[in-house]
Amino acid sequence: MTDVGPTESQTNREDRYAELAVRVGANVQPGQLVDVIARIEHAPVARAVTREAYKAGASYVDVYYTDQHIRRAMIQGAADEMLSWTPPWLLNRAKQVGDERAAVVALTGDAEPNLLADLPGDRVGKARMLELAEESNRQINEQLNNWTVIGVPNVGWAQQMFGEPDLERLWQAVEYTVRLNEDDPVAAWRAHVARIGKRASALNDLQVDEIHFKGPGTDLRVGLLPESRWQGCESLTADGIPYVANMPTEEVFTTPDLRRAEGFVRSTRPLALYGRIVKGLEVRFEGGRIVDVKADEGADVVKAQIETDETAAYLGEIALVDGTSRIGQTGLTFFDTLFDENTTCHVAYGGAYAEAVEGGVIEGVNVSNVHTDFMVGGPQVDVDAVTRSGIVVPLLRDDVWQLPE
Amino acid sequence: MTDVGPTESQTNREDRYAELAVRVGANVQPGQLVDVIARIEHAPVARAVTREAYKAGASYVDVYYTDQHIRRAMIQGAADEMLSWTPPWLLNRAKQVGDERAAVVALTGDAEPNLLADLPGDRVGKARMLELAEESNRQINEQLNNWTVIGVPNVGWAQQMFGEPDLERLWQAVEYTVRLNEDDPVAAWRAHVARIGKRASALNDLQVDEIHFKGPGTDLRVGLLPESRWQGCESLTADGIPYVANMPTEEVFTTPDLRRAEGFVRSTRPLALYGRIVKGLEVRFEGGRIVDVKADEGADVVKAQIETDETAAYLGEIALVDGTSRIGQTGLTFFDTLFDENTTCHVAYGGAYAEAVEGGVIEGVNVSNVHTDFMVGGPQVDVDAVTRSGIVVPLLRDDVWQLPE
């Protein structure tokens, strides 16, 4: 039993963080319904986000708390057919979030990253609310909501990262990555959004047809669609509200042609996936499809996941990050995709972001209930672009961005 | 930020408690959907209840966590018309709990009893999801669900009770009141249910027309309906599933005729109400209606509450408890109605329990979205029954039950 109330100093820290998430991240508009998704361990920040959202003029803030222990009990105790069931009221809730064009603030940061480690991997992989994931994908692809995801420091996460529960160190790392250490974090974000936006523009000007990753255990070519567009930090809803979907974010990303991935790739970072840690992941692609999965640990979770639907085993995202990113600069592995994907280049199998394609969900764009990023970049991995006219342009060497900025 | 994971010894304690709530309280049936309602501070017990419910054969356990800090932010930040709004998806959830004939386990035990104390009482009183309360009342009156309410010890609650965060002492008190200190708590509950059931039978045999409370500051007569039936610990769903709706419970209770309450009454215990503590409550009735409310603290919350709907200011329950109850024996004030109402006699303004009336919701039975118990009994308060033939029968003197047992 615990007291989850914040102390005075936590309040200040959490309020500043919440303000950034509400004003810059989700960019909550006056009169908007706000949906907050949090684990119970995130309560201090969920509460601060709620207060800041009302300050920004939210009409109502609905907080949905989840608990991994409840999920663990379900995986252990429920019948097979219930593993992927969506309670109808949760689907109803998700639909209302879309219909109302709500702002969404999702909190991540696993308090017990190994909680599901002793459970059968196939059950863990299947335990996902499929209808809810479909609805969520639809809303993202139709760009209905201004949303953001932020990470909430907690003791268990700090333990996972540092081998000791050094919560203060984790807070400082997170504050650095989201620019809360700046005197004016909002201004710092504006400058950052502009810089990464320029990088996306340069890639779009290049007319990239293919990205080639080459390094130890990796020789992977990923083809783009003629309609693929590189994106920076900022997104726009269908109604024209700008928002920053991830904090931190350092990537430029786009949607590949799901039919065009050839070769093999070795993941360069461990991957926290559904309460398991996948280590030493190696994946082989043929004709866009994952045809072989190996790992030192956790291959079963990945294998179960890519069988979830017809295109789960195909790529849906490709993202480039250089070594100058604030997350990379910390030298830390966060064991959380929100952070680790911003240390280095990554690809994701599963559903694509339609906003990164001119024309949205066209042929070649992956629509899937899965979206799992895994890290493939690093100092030893060269990244080249091949343009539509066949010119090879180096993009990253030794983690350094090669295009002029 | 806190680690809400249970320690090994807590696990045992919480598992035993959860087993009692699942097997004896809600009496979860194989294949049933189970709805758990908890505050985030109750997570260790909510988790244990979930595990025990799956062991009992639950098809799915859905846990809905609430957080009083989110409620506080809403009361401070939302527009007037949103205070009593029910998010449609929550109403949808409640309806499915009824439609599916789910088992329900509700957890109470306020971690920060004074959290709303500095907010305007009228807003606190109005901040209640009206549509949800209506739906919940309907389900209780139609006896759709087998349900139970238990209290979850936590640091804030212990602080409120003892002036220090003595969680162990609170756990031991709670374990005593719910008979978890017995070698075989289930057998102890069977004996207890039988004893209180006999008391209810005796009162039904008496054909009580009126209950008269008389003591310092109190002279109140409450009339019953000819169809009023006294009830003990055990209830039955419409489908015939027995359950114990409150743990602990020591009361025999019935539904009065809402038109028949005359006189005045002084509450004998403080009352925790919507995050406020009401102290020194004095209420006067005329023709069944509350016509005057005074209190040393918190009268505004009561006043706002009884204006919520047309019959909120009328009685809906009358309950008799003698001084031999385990809760009374602890000598403690729990500042939680689930416990304090079982120390001594009480009445409730607001909605009645239709199960305590032959014929259900007939004329004279209160249907209201409010149901607030307040304590009116004690060693100095004499309680008499007046039978339909006009005989006065002493029921309680000096907190001692006067009928043969």
Side-chain angles (χ1 to χ4, degrees), chain A residues 44-361:
Chain A
V45 170
R47 293 164 175 178
V49 166
T50 302
R51 291 190 293 266
E52 292 297 330
Y54 280 117
K55 278 190 206 165
S59 63
Y60 193 86
V61 184
D62 192 66
V63 180
Y64 181 62
Y65 281 113
T66 64
D67 180 350
Q68 285 292 88
H69 283 265
I70 304 302
R71 183 177 161 75
R72 178 182 165 87
M74 192 274 286
I75 294 170
Q76 288 190 298
D80 282 355
E81 68 272 18
M82 300 305 283
L83 288 174
S84 59
W85 185 63
T86 302
W89 55 85
L90 274 184
L91 190 61
N92 178 278
R93 180 178 189 276
K95 283 181 176 160
Q96 284 174 12
V97 165
D99 292 348
E100 301 278 333
R101 304 289 191 272
V104 180
V105 180
L107 310 184
T108 71
D110 209 338
E112 292 174 82
N114 288 304
L115 184 66
L116 309 180
D118 61 328
L119 301 184
D122 60 330
R123 284 181 75 82
V124 174
K126 281 176 196 155
R128 188 141 185 277
M129 296 181 189
L130 283 185
E131 281 186 295
L132 189 66
E134 268 170 37
E135 176 62 21
S136 171
N137 281 353
R138 179 186 74 83
Q139 290 181 18
I140 288 172
N141 281 336
E142 295 182 11
Q143 292 158 253
L144 301 183
N145 308 104
N146 39 321
W147 56 278
T148 196
V149 186
I150 64 170
V152 177
N154 60 67
V155 169
W157 185 11
Q159 176 75 39
Q160 164 90 359
M161 282 179 64
F162 307 126
E164 56 180 353
D166 192 342
L167 183 57
E168 179 59 29
R169 188 177 167 199
L170 177 54
W171 259 113
Q172 288 180 10
V174 168
E175 285 170 334
Y176 176 70
T177 65
V178 298
R179 297 175 160 74
L180 270 173
N181 66 322
E182 301 284 338
D183 289 338
D184 186 346
V186 174
W189 269 93
R190 284 213 187 97
H192 177 59
V193 164
R195 177 168 162 265
I196 300 290
K198 225 175 127 185
R199 197 175 279 186
S201 294
L203 283 168
N204 285 325
D205 290 347
L206 258 190
Q207 308 222 8
V208 180
D209 178 61
E210 186 182 88
I211 296 290
H212 183 201
F213 298 97
K214 194 155 188 348
T218 291
D219 189 349
L220 177 66
R221 289 173 182 274
V222 180
L224 306 190
L225 295 160
E227 297 84 357
S228 297
R229 292 290 172 270
W230 294 89
Q231 296 249 335
C233 305
E234 199 169 68
S235 302
L236 277 183
T237 68
D239 298 333
I241 303 170
Y243 63 98
V244 177
N246 286 179
M247 297 183 114
T249 177
E250 303 272 346
E251 67 183 4
V252 286
F253 72 97
T254 193
T255 291
D257 183 339
L258 71 87
R259 300 159 293 196
R260 295 178 60 199
E262 299 289 342
F264 48 91
V265 64
R266 179 182 293 168
S267 183
T268 49
R269 299 260 176 173
L271 169 65
L273 187 61
Y274 294 169
R276 298 276 298 276
I277 306 292
V278 181
K279 290 183 182 164
L281 179 66
E282 294 190 341
V283 174
R284 196 158 58 79
F285 290 86
E286 278 178 23
R289 193 176 200 289
I290 296 174
V291 293
D292 192 38
V293 174
K294 287 179 195 159
D296 299 330
E297 280 178 37
D300 52 345
V301 186
V302 174
K303 283 177 184 169
Q305 207 195 16
I306 63 176
E307 286 169 13
T308 309
D309 56 40
E310 280 186 10
T311 54
Y314 293 80
L315 291 183
E317 182 187 342
I318 180 166
L320 304 179
V321 182
D322 67 355
T324 66
S325 96
R326 285 197 172 208
I327 301 90
Q329 284 167 18
T330 65
L332 297 169
T333 296
F334 284 79
F335 298 96
D336 186 299
T337 296
L338 177 65
F339 292 82
D340 291 331
E341 73 165 11
N342 284 300
T343 53
T344 188
C345 300
H346 54 275
V347 294
Y349 55 83
Y353 292 104
E355 67 173 300
V357 183
E358 190 138 338
V361 181

Side-chain angles (χ1 to χ4, degrees), chain B residues 67-367:
Chain B
D67 180 349
Q68 285 292 87
H69 283 265
I70 304 301
R71 182 177 161 75
R72 178 183 165 87
M74 192 274 286
I75 294 169
Q76 289 191 296
D80 281 356
E81 68 272 19
M82 299 306 282
L83 288 174
S84 59
W85 185 64
T86 301
W89 75 272
L90 272 185
L91 190 61
N92 178 279
R93 180 178 188 277
K95 283 183 175 158
Q96 283 174 12
V97 165
D99 292 349
E100 301 277 334
R101 304 288 190 272
V104 180
V105 179
L107 309 184
T108 71
D110 209 338
E112 290 173 85
N114 287 304
L115 185 66
L116 309 181
D118 62 327
L119 301 184
D122 61 329
R123 285 181 74 84
V124 173
K126 282 177 196 156
R128 188 142 185 276
M129 296 181 189
L130 283 185
E131 281 186 294
L132 189 66
E134 269 171 35
E135 176 61 21
S136 171
N137 282 352
R138 180 186 74 83
Q139 291 181 17
I140 288 172
N141 282 336
E142 296 183 11
Q143 292 158 252
L144 301 182
N145 308 104
N146 39 321
W147 56 278
T148 196
V149 185
I150 62 170
V152 177
N154 60 66
V155 169
W157 186 11
Q159 176 75 40
Q160 164 89 357
M161 282 180 65
F162 307 127
E164 56 180 352
D166 192 343
L167 183 58
E168 179 58 29
R169 187 176 168 200
L170 177 54
W171 258 112
Q172 288 181 11
V174 168
E175 284 169 335
Y176 176 71
T177 64
V178 299
R179 295 172 162 76
L180 270 174
N181 66 322
E182 302 283 339
D183 290 339
D184 186 346
V186 173
W189 269 93
R190 284 213 186 96
H192 177 59
V193 165
R195 177 168 163 267
I196 300 289
K198 228 176 126 184
R199 196 174 281 186
S201 294
L203 283 168
N204 285 325
D205 291 347
L206 259 191
Q207 308 223 5
V208 180
D209 177 61
E210 186 182 89
I211 296 290
H212 183 199
F213 298 97
K214 193 155 187 353
T218 290
D219 190 349
L220 176 67
R221 291 174 181 274
V222 180
L224 306 190
L225 294 160
E227 296 85 357
S228 298
R229 293 292 172 270
W230 294 90
Q231 295 250 335
C233 304
E234 200 170 69
S235 302
L236 278 182
T237 68
D239 297 334
I241 303 170
Y243 63 97
V244 177
N246 286 180
M247 297 183 113
T249 177
E250 303 272 345
E251 65 182 5
V252 286
F253 73 97
T254 193
T255 291
D257 183 338
L258 73 87
R259 299 159 293 195
R260 295 180 60 200
E262 298 290 342
F264 49 90
V265 63
R266 180 183 292 168
S267 182
T268 50
R269 300 259 176 174
L271 169 64
L273 187 61
Y274 295 166
R276 298 276 297 274
I277 307 291
V278 181
K279 289 184 181 161
L281 180 65
E282 295 191 338
V283 175
R284 196 157 59 78
F285 290 86
E286 276 179 24
R289 192 174 203 288
I290 296 175
V291 292
D292 193 37
V293 174
K294 286 178 195 159
D296 298 332
E297 281 179 36
D300 52 344
V301 185
V302 175
K303 284 178 185 171
Q305 208 194 13
I306 63 175
E307 286 169 14
T308 308
D309 56 41
E310 280 185 10
T311 54
Y314 293 80
L315 290 183
E317 183 188 341
I318 179 166
L320 304 179
V321 182
D322 69 355
T324 66
S325 96
R326 287 199 173 207
I327 302 89
Q329 283 167 18
T330 65
L332 297 170
T333 296
F334 284 78
F335 298 96
D336 186 297
T337 296
L338 177 65
F339 292 81
D340 291 330
E341 72 165 11
N342 284 300
T343 52
T344 188
C345 301
H346 55 276
V347 294
Y349 55 83
Y353 292 105
E355 67 173 302
V357 183
E358 191 139 336
V361 182
I362 59 175
E363 203 182 331
V365 172
N366 196 345
V367 176

Side-chain angles (χ1 to χ4, degrees), chain B residues 49-76:
Chain B
V49 166
T50 302
R51 290 190 294 266
E52 292 297 329
Y54 280 117
K55 278 189 205 164
S59 62
Y60 193 86
V61 184
D62 191 67
V63 180
Y64 180 61
Y65 281 113
T66 63
D67 180 349
Q68 285 292 87
H69 283 265
I70 304 301
R71 182 177 161 75
R72 178 183 165 87
M74 192 274 286
I75 294 169
Q76 289 191 296

